[in-house]
Amino acid sequence: MKRVLYAALLPLLFCSLVVKAQQPRPDTVAAQKWVSQAFKKLSRRQKIAQLMVMRLSEKRGNNAVFFTDDVEQLINKYKVGSVCLFQGNAVQQAMVLNQLQQKSKIPLLVCIDGETGVGMRFGDVKPFPDQLTIGATGDAAIAYHTGNAIAQQCKRVGIQVNYAPVVDINNNPDNPVINFRSFGEDKYKVALYGSRIMQGMQDEGIMACAKHFPGHGDVSVDSHLDLPVIQKSIQQLDSLELYPFKTLIKQGVGSMMVAHLYIPAIDTTRNQAASLSKKNVTGLLRNELKFNGITFTDALEMKGVAKFYPAGEAAVQSLIAGNDMLCLPADVKGSIKKVRKAIRHNKLSWDDINQKVKKVLLAKYNLGLDTLKAIDTLNIAADLNKDIEPIKKEVYSNAITLVTQADSALMPLKTSGKIAYVGLGLERANHFADRLQQAYNADCYYLSYKDSNEKAETLLKQIGDHYQTIIIGLHKYTKYPAKNFGISNAAVNVLHQLQTKPNALGIVFGNPYAIKNMVDARNLVAAYEDDSLMHDVAADLLAGRISARGMMPVTVEKFNYGTGITTSIYVPLVQSQMIGLDSIALNKIDSVAGNAIAKGATPGCVVLIARNGKVGLYKAYGSLSYDVKEKVTRQTVYDLASVTKISATNVSVMKLYEEGKLNLNKTLGDYLPWVRGTDKAGLKLTDVLLHQAGLVSFIPFYRETIDLKTGTPKPGFYRAQPSATFGIRVADNMYMRNDWVDTIKKRILTSKLGAPGKYVYSDNDFIFLGKVVEQITGLTLDEYVRQTFYLPLGMTSTTFKPLEHEPLNLIAPTEKEKLFRLQQLRGDVHDPGAAMFGGVAGHAGLYSNAYDLAKLYIMLLNGGELNGVRLFKKETIDFFTAYHSDISRRGMGYDKPEKDNATSKAPYPTLSASPLTFGHIGFTGIGVWADPKYDLLYIFMSNRVNPDGGDNNKLSSLNVRSDIQEAIYQSIFRTEKAAIPKPVVAAKPVPKLRSTSNRAVKK
């Protein structure tokens, strides 16, 4: 069961120390009893020591030195509360922890500084990818998987707190301390990916720690060596640096690490780090941002603090500031002495200390330390390494980025023709060079950063003009930017000489900021890491076995954030005339869209037109809302509303039908056990697909849970924070009781059933069908469609629950709901019923941008295949998209034109749509129509329900969608008419003129 951890004083969900997860345990009488008993065992000195985190080891030369005896003495004498793991192998760490936990009468809270998992510290465990590499991927679900795997490692080795994720925004390329440890420079992506890593860890019972508050990304000084200064206003900090921290606080991060930064806008006390500032910790973090969890200082042994607050002064000031835990104080005895002195001088009080100690003890209890178990050392290193390679492969294959491509013929690499590989930073062949030699018999050249300019010149002469393709690999440079990442001038000279050659392809294996050395490269790949697994991914990319999917998480010189040429299932974008569209006729679309926005039909929209498998028009108009001037872009993700029915549920039904797993002549009762014994059991799937099974159109499930006079939720149905029993998110800070889903299903089962054979468009039809898909496949609907359709087609933005996948700024807001959820909805599904199913339902909940959604329908227009990926037989598509009812215009799940469209006073969806057309419209302002006769796809996306919901009907009354669709057809007809050759008419003979005098001319 998935679990979420919140701030330490709130009800928490937890797991046991080592292997098996405990059931969720709130702040109960048992918890308070345990805390009280532990608290009574502590003397005053020991209470202060409970707030200290001690270093357990450090690296000296090539060896790890453990301070086991020193820490044990501190445990015996002062009962220090926590230890932090650093260097050493897995068995060593486990054995030392077992020894110390056995000696400690009050269990130690075990922490690790493990942004890339325990492999960041353990010598015999490989690290997970850097956060910047994860930031290059296009799906935050990958961050969640990584966080989950890191948590499993922590549990296995007896760790309860991981000082991760880093949610600093790296907006300074020369940052000497954050850099590749950040997810990137975009605050929305940093916030999203940070929250997903955090949730991945906390869902497995490991407390995450967001760092380094209030933001360490824009510095040029390493706080390990000195105190960095950030000269920004509060407004600047609030709009950028604080954004990810505010997001993680809202998402329930368990702890926060406060940075050693001097920020005069927050506190003008000279040379006082933010970690020691009461205005920062208590004023900003606690009071303004409402963070109630555990706060850790950054290491107090760092020069950024120790330089100005030596010998225990830093510990005192940290507690005065409002911190709970003192990380790595240099002198425990001296710090305790200084804290007691501060209490005597009324700078602190014992009430302050007691409150913090009880808070830490409660966190220990809730993290499972009341039932401490010894760590099993058998196979521990193997267990810690087991998930790393699959996670790395997932991250790497989604992160690798085609930054620029002047010659598409370079990928895939041809086996014919001579290939040279130039490995810069190498003394000999590495795994990537071996792959190139094996696959292409490449000639390999190596230049280490110790080699001379003379050797570099010799290498260039050897390469000359003898090769059809030159691959340049930049390897083994340092991760931080000092001294150009350690790349030698000789290597830079080789780069400059080779990168501009038209047959050269550069691959940068490591920190992408090093791309500044290759800004003139005609063909360039960012590979982010330099290990054998990334070498395999890069080699597979060159061979055409995988596609480039990543995007630059930071700006490097002329390559802006988000740069990346995606080669996965690429639908070409061409000029409109290349696909038979008259560009002049298409100009009407601009005026229709502009008029719709001007008259308040929608704040903005996106229009996409494709023919013959190519996109000929893809334009964004207007803003995401009327009051916030965020512009709509082509990447904007919209709530598809009822287009979910055909884009998720119906294609799933088609797939299962084609595979013989679903029979349309069977009934709901044949597939859904919970329907049996009701009057819905005998409903035939064919009738359900055609909306003529007799089901009511919709049921306002939410009405039972709110006060109808005020619109506010009734007590007992929702909580502001998720828990074991309130785990269904319906909106921001609103989680529904889990068991209410059964009530919703019961309401559908007991709803009045109409006479069969009558057409009634119903959401309930597709709620049932979504459940049928889940029952047959054993997967949730969102998991099934993602695996079966969206990922194979490269539809990365097409997803349910978009807040788990997409940065918030890419998602269009919908209604500002005045009943039920009482908030601006953005990323939470607009449809209330779908929201009460947790955002995943057969009738609504899907989100997408227009380009990704187009891939699904171009595949259907292509007869079930797109770019070599076949998902359907043509016969299946033809069957489902044909008319199937004598009483309506419906196909099997699909909407279609009226059968009398040509003579109708109100043609639908537009006059010129052929009878082969299939598609759907969505309540939020969506329209998708595919016409096989013209091999035409039209997608219209808008958020017309922003902000007033369904009351705004101008999109329909102004005929916006249909007028644009008709303009498309007229552009086709105009092109076709222009292409018809005119009949040749014989010219009449011209009579010969006689001599033309002036008189003759006048006559």
Side-chain angles (χ1 to χ4, degrees):
M1 178 174 61
K2 297 290 184 186
R3 290 169 300 281
V4 179
L5 219 84
Y6 315 123
L9 293 182
L10 298 174
L12 302 168
L13 309 182
F14 314 95
C15 70
S16 68
L17 175 63
V18 186
V19 180
K20 293 187 177 179
Q22 294 179 353
Q23 292 301 311
R25 301 184 301 173
D27 182 6
T28 60
V29 173
Q32 291 302 326
K33 182 179 179 181
W34 188 89
V35 169
S36 179
Q37 289 174 344
F39 184 78
K40 288 177 182 178
K41 296 177 183 178
L42 299 169
S43 69
R44 285 189 163 184
R45 287 183 175 86
Q46 291 167 345
K47 288 176 183 177
I48 297 169
Q50 270 292 305
L51 307 179
M52 295 183 178
V53 185
M54 306 310 300
R55 176 186 287 275
L56 200 52
S57 63
E58 71 178 17
K59 190 173 183 180
R60 293 180 183 172
N62 294 323
N63 299 315
V65 177
F66 281 81
F67 309 126
T68 312
D69 292 341
D70 294 338
V71 174
E72 188 172 329
Q73 288 179 15
L74 292 171
I75 290 171
N76 291 335
K77 185 172 182 178
Y78 297 111
K79 290 187 173 61
V80 292
S82 178
V83 293
C84 188
L85 305 186
F86 287 93
Q87 284 72 28
N89 65 41
V91 172
Q92 286 175 308
Q93 303 274 18
M95 291 178 67
V96 171
L97 282 181
N98 281 338
Q99 177 182 337
L100 295 178
Q101 291 286 29
Q102 190 176 16
K103 296 286 184 180
S104 183
K105 293 181 180 179
I106 297 176
L108 294 163
L109 185 70
V110 181
C111 309
I112 190 169
D113 197 9
E115 300 152 19
T116 57
V118 302
M120 185 172 173
R121 301 298 175 186
F122 291 17
D124 53 350
V125 181
K126 294 179 181 178
F128 286 101
D130 292 328
Q131 285 193 184
L132 196 60
T133 307
I134 297 171
T137 67
D139 187 353
I142 294 171
Y144 181 87
H145 298 159
T146 306
N148 236 223
I150 290 172
Q152 294 292 342
Q153 285 185 327
C154 291
K155 288 163 65 177
R156 178 66 179 88
V157 78
I159 296 166
Q160 295 83 46
V161 180
N162 185 14
Y163 295 153
V166 172
V167 290
D168 303 312
I169 299 165
N170 201 78
N171 48 356
N172 184 340
D174 296 322
N175 192 314
V177 64
I178 303 302
N179 213 283
F180 62 90
R181 299 166 63 198
S182 166
F183 289 110
E185 69 179 47
D186 179 73
K187 69 177 183 180
Y188 298 104
K189 192 164 205 175
V190 170
L192 173 61
Y193 281 49
S195 66
R196 298 306 289 148
I197 285 263
M198 175 269 288
Q199 288 168 336
M201 289 192 289
Q202 296 193 167
D203 281 359
E204 290 296 331
I206 300 301
M207 182 184 281
C209 181
K211 62 184 185 185
H212 306 79
F213 183 85
H216 211 309
D218 193 6
V219 301
S220 55
V221 173
D222 185 346
S223 52
H224 294 84
L225 306 176
D226 207 340
L227 182 62
V229 179
I230 294 182
Q231 296 286 3
K232 287 190 174 184
S233 68
I234 286 291
Q235 292 76 17
Q236 289 173 313
L237 292 169
D238 186 62
S239 66
L240 187 65
E241 276 83 0
L242 291 178
Y243 182 84
F245 294 100
K246 291 191 287 187
T247 300
L248 266 72
I249 290 170
K250 188 179 291 187
Q251 295 291 332
V253 66
S255 65
M256 193 83 72
M257 180 173 282
V258 190
H260 301 327
L261 302 167
Y262 176 47
I263 309 175
I266 296 175
D267 193 335
T268 56
T269 305
R270 187 170 177 79
N271 294 325
Q272 186 176 74
S275 53
L276 277 58
S277 166
K278 189 169 185 176
K279 290 181 179 179
N280 180 58
V281 180
T282 299
L284 178 58
L285 181 57
R286 298 287 192 203
N287 297 340
E288 291 188 37
L289 301 187
K290 309 301 181 185
F291 178 65
N292 295 317
I294 299 285
T295 53
F296 292 86
T297 67
D298 208 342
L300 296 178
E301 65 187 17
M302 292 163 62
K303 294 291 191 292
V305 163
K307 180 178 177 180
F308 304 103
Y309 291 85
E313 289 295 332
V316 172
Q317 195 59 43
S318 295
L319 293 174
I320 292 172
N323 289 296
D324 300 307
M325 298 293 285
L326 308 174
C327 201
L328 310 187
D331 177 7
V332 172
K333 181 179 179 180
S335 295
I336 292 173
K337 186 177 180 179
K338 289 279 180 77
V339 170
R340 296 189 74 194
K341 182 179 179 182
I343 294 172
R344 289 195 300 272
H345 287 80
N346 296 319
K347 295 179 180 178
L348 278 167
S349 71
W350 281 112
D351 286 342
D352 293 334
I353 301 299
N354 293 341
Q355 183 183 18
K356 294 177 189 299
V357 172
K358 289 178 180 180
K359 184 177 183 180
V360 171
L361 290 173
L362 178 59
K364 288 185 177 185
Y365 175 87
N366 285 329
L367 287 164
L369 285 170
D370 64 317
T371 55
L372 189 65
K373 297 178 183 179
I375 304 163
D376 183 4
T377 59
L378 183 64
N379 297 323
I380 188 169
D383 291 344
L384 294 173
N385 279 294
K386 68 181 177 64
D387 291 329
I388 293 170
E389 187 164 316
I391 292 289
K392 273 191 169 184
K393 188 171 183 181
E394 181 183 25
V395 173
Y396 287 0
S397 59
N398 282 277
I400 194 165
T401 305
L402 183 56
V403 179
T404 185
Q405 185 181 34
D407 186 357
S408 59
L410 290 179
M411 284 197 298
L413 274 180
K414 298 175 177 62
T415 53
S416 60
K418 293 183 67 177
I419 294 175
Y421 178 63
V422 182
L424 300 177
L426 301 179
E427 295 178 355
R428 62 186 67 88
N430 62 3
H431 183 64
F432 187 64
D434 290 340
R435 286 286 306 265
L436 293 179
Q437 286 179 315
Q438 292 165 10
Y440 308 102
N441 194 28
D443 292 339
C444 294
Y445 302 87
Y446 308 112
L447 185 78
S448 79
Y449 300 136
K450 297 177 183 178
D451 288 331
S452 65
N453 288 321
E454 289 74 19
K455 184 171 180 180
E457 290 298 329
T458 301
L459 183 151
L460 289 169
K461 289 177 182 177
Q462 289 174 320
I463 293 170
D465 296 322
H466 309 309
Y467 293 96
Q468 182 176 327
T469 304
I470 302 170
I471 309 296
I472 312 161
L474 194 59
H475 294 276
K476 288 191 175 181
Y477 55 89
T478 60
K479 287 192 169 187
Y480 286 111
K483 297 180 180 179
N484 194 21
F485 301 92
I487 302 169
S488 67
N489 290 334
V492 170
N493 181 48
V494 171
L495 282 175
H496 289 168
Q497 293 290 325
L498 295 180
Q499 63 180 287
T500 56
K501 289 179 177 289
N503 62 335
L505 170 66
I507 307 177
V508 179
F509 288 97
N511 189 326
Y513 281 116
I515 285 174
K516 69 180 185 179
N517 294 287
M518 299 191 73
V519 292
D520 295 323
R522 295 166 58 86
N523 304 283
L524 181 62
V525 171
Y528 302 102
E529 311 251 358
D530 194 8
D531 58 18
S532 59
L533 191 55
M534 182 56 94
H535 297 165
D536 282 333
V537 170
D540 288 344
L541 177 67
L542 294 182
R545 295 189 187 95
I546 66 168
S547 303
R549 302 175 190 168
M551 62 191 73
M552 292 281 287
V554 291
T555 296
V556 184
E557 303 287 341
K558 68 179 182 181
F559 301 120
N560 292 327
Y561 164 82
T563 296
I565 301 169
T566 303
T567 59
S568 60
I569 309 298
Y570 177 67
V571 175
L573 277 70
V574 300
Q575 293 182 336
S576 57
Q577 56 267 32
M578 292 181 65
I579 57 172
L581 300 172
D582 182 83
S583 57
I584 296 175
L586 290 179
N587 288 339
K588 184 178 180 182
I589 294 174
D590 293 344
S591 61
V592 173
N595 184 58
I597 294 167
K599 292 189 174 179
T602 179
C605 62
V606 173
V607 178
L608 182 146
I609 308 168
R611 284 193 78 192
N612 309 320
K614 298 179 178 66
V615 174
L617 185 143
Y618 186 17
K619 295 185 74 171
Y621 302 87
S623 302
L624 295 180
S625 63
Y626 294 105
D627 53 350
V628 180
K629 295 303 180 184
E630 294 178 84
K631 293 297 182 184
V632 176
T633 71
R634 300 197 305 188
Q635 287 72 44
T636 298
V637 171
Y638 283 93
D639 182 335
L640 301 186
S642 287
V643 173
T644 301
K645 294 181 173 75
I646 62 169
S647 304
T649 310
N650 210 55
V651 289
S652 300
V653 169
M654 291 167 62
K655 188 70 173 176
L656 297 173
Y657 165 84
E658 183 174 289
E659 293 173 343
K661 297 176 182 177
L662 182 146
N663 187 331
L664 297 181
N665 291 315
K666 287 192 173 184
T667 65
L668 291 177
D670 289 325
Y671 293 103
L672 299 175
W674 53 277
V675 174
R676 294 166 193 163
T678 73
D679 60 356
K680 311 302 184 296
L683 299 183
K684 195 175 174 182
L685 294 189
T686 297
D687 291 330
V688 175
L689 279 165
L690 293 172
H691 295 278
Q692 54 191 49
L695 291 166
V696 295
S697 60
F698 81 103
I699 302 171
F701 305 112
Y702 70 95
R703 291 175 67 87
E704 287 186 70
T705 71
I706 66 169
D707 184 322
L708 295 177
K709 292 182 179 179
T710 64
T712 57
K714 294 178 181 177
F717 288 98
Y718 305 95
R719 293 271 176 88
Q721 297 290 342
S723 69
T725 52
F726 288 80
I728 299 172
R729 178 183 170 115
V730 298
D732 193 20
N733 295 325
M734 192 172 180
Y735 293 83
M736 190 182 77
R737 271 171 39 195
N738 297 342
D739 61 358
W740 197 250
V741 172
D742 293 330
T743 304
I744 294 172
K745 290 160 73 174
K746 187 181 294 184
R747 295 295 180 265
I748 301 174
L749 292 177
T750 57
S751 63
K752 185 177 180 180
L753 190 64
K758 181 180 179 182
Y759 172 67
V760 178
Y761 177 76
S762 172
D763 287 342
N764 295 309
D765 287 310
F766 273 78
I767 291 174
F768 273 128
L769 289 170
K771 296 302 179 185
V772 169
V773 172
E774 292 181 340
Q775 185 72 30
I776 293 173
T777 63
L779 298 171
T780 59
L781 180 62
D782 59 326
E783 291 172 339
Y784 178 72
V785 293
R786 186 169 175 79
Q787 293 177 18
T788 308
F789 304 106
Y790 307 153
L791 291 182
L793 293 177
M795 299 166 61
T796 54
S797 73
T798 310
T799 178
F800 291 87
K801 298 187 286 188
L803 291 172
E804 297 182 3
H805 300 270
E806 295 287 343
L808 186 67
N809 62 318
L810 291 183
I811 304 172
T814 54
E815 183 174 357
K816 190 172 184 179
E817 210 169 50
K818 299 177 181 67
L819 293 174
F820 180 33
R821 289 171 284 184
L822 307 177
Q823 60 184 270
Q824 172 66 68
L825 299 175
R826 187 169 188 177
D828 289 298
V829 59
H830 177 261
D831 182 272
M836 296 174 81
F837 276 110
V840 180
H843 70 295
L846 192 65
Y847 285 70
S848 184
N849 66 35
Y851 181 78
D852 281 344
L853 189 64
K855 296 175 185 178
L856 182 70
Y857 290 93
I858 292 172
M859 178 271 296
L860 294 174
L861 285 169
N862 285 351
E865 183 271 338
L866 182 62
N867 290 14
V869 176
R870 176 160 289 282
L871 297 177
F872 290 109
K873 297 175 183 176
K874 187 176 185 301
E875 306 91 87
T876 303
I877 299 167
D878 291 345
F879 172 73
F880 274 80
T881 60
Y883 290 108
H884 279 279
S885 175
D886 295 331
I887 60 172
S888 78
R889 63 175 186 253
R890 307 296 300 199
M892 283 291 183
Y894 292 101
D895 200 359
K896 292 183 65 61
E898 296 289 358
K899 294 175 182 176
D900 61 347
N901 228 21
T903 58
S904 173
K905 293 182 180 179
Y908 177 85
T910 190
L911 175 65
S912 300
S914 84
L916 297 176
T917 300
F918 60 93
H920 216 287
I921 62 171
F923 186 81
T924 51
I926 311 297
V928 177
W929 294 101
D931 190 341
K933 179 179 178 180
Y934 300 98
D935 200 358
L936 172 67
L937 173 65
Y938 160 52
I939 293 178
F940 179 90
M941 289 192 169
S942 76
N943 54 336
R944 64 104 189 173
V945 293
N946 175 268
D948 298 324
D951 294 337
N952 182 5
N953 293 313
K954 293 179 182 178
L955 203 68
S956 295
S957 63
L958 293 174
N959 297 317
V960 174
R961 285 175 290 199
S962 57
D963 283 354
I964 290 176
Q965 191 172 9
E966 188 59 33
I968 297 167
Y969 280 106
Q970 294 305 317
S971 77
I972 294 172
F973 301 154
R974 181 167 174 164
T975 300
E976 290 177 346
K977 184 177 180 181
I980 299 173
K982 296 180 180 179
V984 178
V985 179
K988 294 181 180 180
V990 179
K992 292 182 180 181
L993 295 177
R994 296 182 180 177
S995 131
T996 54
S997 64
N998 289 337
R999 182 181 175 193
V1001 172
K1002 289 178 182 178
K1003 185 177 180 180

